[in-house]
C-alpha cells in the first residue's frame, strides 16, 4: 500500500453555454486514473500539455473535488473528509508550482512568505516561527541573513523556487507535489534545484509526485514514471524499464524526441518518430484508444476498442490493443514486436 493511492479518479469539467449556463458537454481532464506512490519514492507524471497532469494532482491534494473515484493518504480516504479533518491532512501534503514568479506574493518579504503556512495552521510562538524560517532557508541553501527580509522581485528564478520549496516544507509535510518545478528555469539552474530536491527527499524521507512534460528531466528524479495522454495513464513502469523497454507507441514517440538517449536505447526506437498533429481537446476525446488518430502503429480496431492498462512486464503496465489479450494480443512479453517495429 502506497502512502498516496488514487483509485479510478475521474475529473470532468462541465462546459456550459449561455446565460442559463446550460451544460453542453464536458472536458474529460482526468478519466479513470489509478496511481500508487510508495513512501519515500518519487512518481513522475509525464505527458504533453493538456493531458490532465495538474488536474490530477489537484484532485489528489483535494484542492479540487473529484467527479468520482477515491484518493487515500497514509491509508485514510481523503476524498470524503470534512473540512476539519482535511485541515490536518493538508499540513502533510504540499504543492510547489511551476512559476515561482507568480506563486510568491510580491508584497511580502521572504520571511513572511515562508512563515505564512505556520500562521495559518497556528504553529509555534513568534520566536519559534522566526527560528523555523531561518532553518528552512538554510535547508534550501539560501543564507537566512541575506534573504530573510528581501522581496521576491530581488531574487533570481532559482532562488524564488527555493523559497517556494522552503514554504512547502514549513509544516513538515510527508508528501509534496512538484508541478513542473523547473520548467521556468535555465538548464543549469534546473540541475541545482533537482539536486536540492533529491537531497531534501533523502534527508526528510519525503514522498514526491513530480509533474513534467519532459521525460529526460524526470529520468534523474523519478523511481516510477506514469505517462498520461488525454486524461489516462497509458504506460507506467520503473524508470529503467520505461526507458529501456518502452511499450506504448506514445511513450516510444516521447522517448524518440529526446536527443540524449543512449545508442542501446535508440536501437529500440529504430527511427525518429514524429507525432502528427496536436493532442486533441479533452472536450472531444477520440473514440476507442484516444491516441489512435496520431498513432503510427495503429491497426484495425484501435478506433473502436478502448484498451485496458494491462501487465506487460514486472511492475510494468501499458494500455494498447497490441498487448491486450482480450483483443487477441499474444499476451505477456510476447507483444513487444507485434507490428510496432
Ligand atoms: N477549471 C477548469 N475548467 C475547465 N477546464 C479545465 C479546468 N482546469 C483544467 N481544464 C482543462 O483540463 C485539461 C487538462 O488540463 P491540465 O490538468 O492543466 O493539463 P496539464 O497539467 O497536463 O497541462 C485541459 O484541456 C484544460 O483546459
Ligand atoms: Mg499542468
Amino acid at each position: 500500500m502506497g502512502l498516496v493511492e488514487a483509485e479510478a479518479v475521474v475529473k470532468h469539467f462541465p462546459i456550459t453555454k449561455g446565460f442559463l449556463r446550460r451544460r453542453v458537454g464536458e472536458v474529460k481532464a482526468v478519466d479513470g486514473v489509478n496511481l500508487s506512490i510508495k513512501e519515500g519514492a518519487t512518481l513522475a507524471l509525464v505527458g504533453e500539455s493538456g493531458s490532465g497532469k495538474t488536474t490530477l494532482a489537484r484532485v489528489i491534494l483535494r484542492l479540487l473535488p473529484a467527479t468520482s473515484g477515491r484518493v487515500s493518504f497514509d491509508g485514510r480516504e481523503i476524498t470524503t473528509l470534512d473540512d476539519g479533518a482535511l485541515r490536518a491532512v493538508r499540513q502533510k501534503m504540499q504543492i510547489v508550482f511551476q512559476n515561482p514568479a507568480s506563486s510568491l506574493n510580491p508584497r511580502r518579504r521572504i520571511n513572511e512568505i515562508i512563515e505564512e503556512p505556520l500562521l495559518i495552521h497556528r504553529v509555534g510562538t513568534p520566536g519559534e516561527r522566526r527560528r523555523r524560517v531561518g532553518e528552512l532557508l538554510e535547508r534550501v541553501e539560501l543564507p537566512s541573513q541575506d534573504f530573510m527580509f528581501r522581496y521576491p522581485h530581488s531574487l533570481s528564478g532559482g532562488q524564488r523556487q527555493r523559497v517556494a520549496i522552503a514554504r512547502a516544507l514549513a509544516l513538515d509535510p510527508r508528501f509534496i507535489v512538484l508541478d513542473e518545478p523547473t520548467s521556468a528555469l535555465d538548464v543549469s539552474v534546473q540541475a541545482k534545484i533537482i539536486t536540492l530536491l533529491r537531497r531534501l527527499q533523502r534527508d526528510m524521507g519525503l514522498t514526491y509526485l513530480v509533474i513534467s512534460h519532459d521525460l529526460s528531466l524526470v529520468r534523474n528524479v523519478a523511481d516510477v514514471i506514469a505517462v498520461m495522454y488525454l486524461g489516462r495513464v497509458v504506460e507506467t513502469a520503473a524508470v529503467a524499464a520505461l526507458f529501456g523497454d518502452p511499450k506504448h507507441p506514445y511513450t516510444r514517440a516521447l522517448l524518440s524526441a529526446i536527443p540524449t538517449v543512449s545508442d542501446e536505447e535508440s536501437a529500440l526506437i529504430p527511427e525518429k518518430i514524429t507525432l502528427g498533429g496536436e493532442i486533441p481537446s479533452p472536450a472531444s476525446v477520440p473514440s476507442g484508444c484516444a491516441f489512435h488518430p496520431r498513432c503510427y502503429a495503429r491497426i484495425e480496431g484501435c478506433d473502436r476498442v478502448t484498451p485496458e492498462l494491462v501487465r506487460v512486464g514486472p511492475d510494468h503496465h501499458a494500455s494498447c490493443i497490441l498487448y491486450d489479450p482480450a483483443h487477441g494480443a499474444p499476451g505477456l512479453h510476447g507483444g513487444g514486436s507485434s507490428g510496432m517495429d
Side-chain angles (χ1 to χ4, degrees):
M1 179 89 169
L3 179 69
V4 179
E5 299 268 343
E7 226 186 298
V9 169
V10 172
K11 181 66 190 181
H12 292 173
F13 296 106
I15 304 169
T16 55
K17 200 176 166 188
F19 179 64
L20 295 172
R21 299 181 62 77
R22 189 163 51 87
R23 191 179 177 123
V24 293
E26 53 194 0
V27 177
K28 296 180 173 176
V30 177
D31 209 22
V33 170
N34 298 300
L35 287 180
S36 174
I37 315 177
K38 287 206 184 82
E39 175 130 47
T42 298
L43 184 130
L45 212 48
V46 176
E48 286 165 281
S49 172
S51 52
K53 306 180 298 294
T54 297
T55 303
L56 174 59
R58 291 173 65 86
V59 170
I60 287 175
L61 296 174
R62 247 198 77 175
L63 298 170
L64 273 177
T67 302
S68 62
R70 280 165 305 281
V71 175
S72 64
F73 180 76
D74 200 17
R76 189 167 177 210
E77 183 170 345
I78 60 167
T79 337
T80 51
L81 288 184
D82 62 32
D83 289 352
L86 191 58
R87 213 179 138 82
V89 177
R90 279 259 166 80
Q91 298 193 20
K92 297 295 160 197
M93 310 168 86
Q94 297 291 325
I95 183 164
V96 173
F97 295 100
Q98 171 170 5
N99 191 346
S102 56
S103 67
L104 303 181
N105 186 335
R107 284 185 290 275
R108 293 271 183 271
R109 293 177 195 270
I110 301 308
N111 66 319
E112 296 170 306
I113 289 170
I114 298 175
E115 189 186 12
E116 192 186 23
L118 298 169
L119 281 171
I120 291 174
H121 287 273
R122 298 191 194 91
V123 176
T125 64
E128 284 164 352
R129 288 197 293 271
R130 206 175 319 118
R131 272 196 301 282
R132 177 82 179 137
V133 170
E135 270 167 34
L136 288 162
L137 279 169
E138 303 293 333
R139 271 212 180 273
V140 298
E141 296 156 359
L142 295 176
S144 57
Q145 291 312 314
D146 303 340
F147 286 93
M148 199 62 116
F149 302 112
R150 286 168 65 176
Y151 286 96
H153 69 80
S154 72
L155 272 54
S156 69
Q159 289 167 344
R160 284 189 207 131
Q161 198 57 310
R162 286 170 192 266
V163 170
I165 293 166
R167 180 179 55 185
L169 294 174
L171 293 163
D172 221 357
R174 294 172 67 188
F175 173 55
I176 304 185
V177 172
L178 301 147
D179 192 351
E180 309 262 8
T182 65
S183 55
L185 306 174
D186 293 342
V187 175
S188 62
V189 183
Q190 280 188 4
K192 289 184 186 140
I193 297 287
I194 294 299
T195 305
L196 171 70
L197 289 170
R198 292 180 59 158
R199 193 173 56 66
L200 292 169
Q201 178 170 47
R202 200 186 52 223
D203 294 351
M204 304 172 76
L206 297 166
T207 304
Y208 288 157
L209 174 61
V210 177
I211 294 176
S212 180
H213 62 277
D214 181 358
L215 254 178
S216 56
L217 178 110
V218 302
R219 170 171 221 175
N220 305 312
V221 197
D223 300 297
V224 177
I225 297 180
V227 178
M228 269 186 93
Y229 190 79
L230 281 181
R232 289 166 179 258
V233 172
V234 297
E235 180 160 6
T236 177
V239 171
L242 196 99
F243 277 82
D245 190 15
K247 296 293 193 190
H248 198 285
Y250 181 60
T251 310
R252 292 182 174 201
L254 291 180
L255 283 172
S256 89
I258 299 178
T260 54
V261 289
S262 65
D263 290 349
E264 210 173 87
E265 285 163 3
S266 47
L268 282 162
I269 304 159
E271 54 205 282
K272 194 153 175 71
I273 302 161
T274 315
L275 285 183
E278 297 279 296
I279 185 168
S281 161
S284 53
V285 176
S287 64
C289 169
F291 183 59
H292 87 263
R294 299 170 81 194
C295 188
Y296 51 89
R298 181 173 66 225
I299 57 172
E300 202 277 315
C302 290
D303 57 345
R304 285 182 282 107
V305 177
T306 307
E308 296 291 318
L309 203 55
V310 297
R311 183 173 180 278
V312 293
D315 292 320
H316 193 161
H317 294 78
S319 64
C320 174
I321 196 169
L322 298 172
Y323 308 111
D324 200 339
H327 301 286
L332 289 192
H333 308 294
S337 56
S338 55
M340 299 193 62
D341 297 320

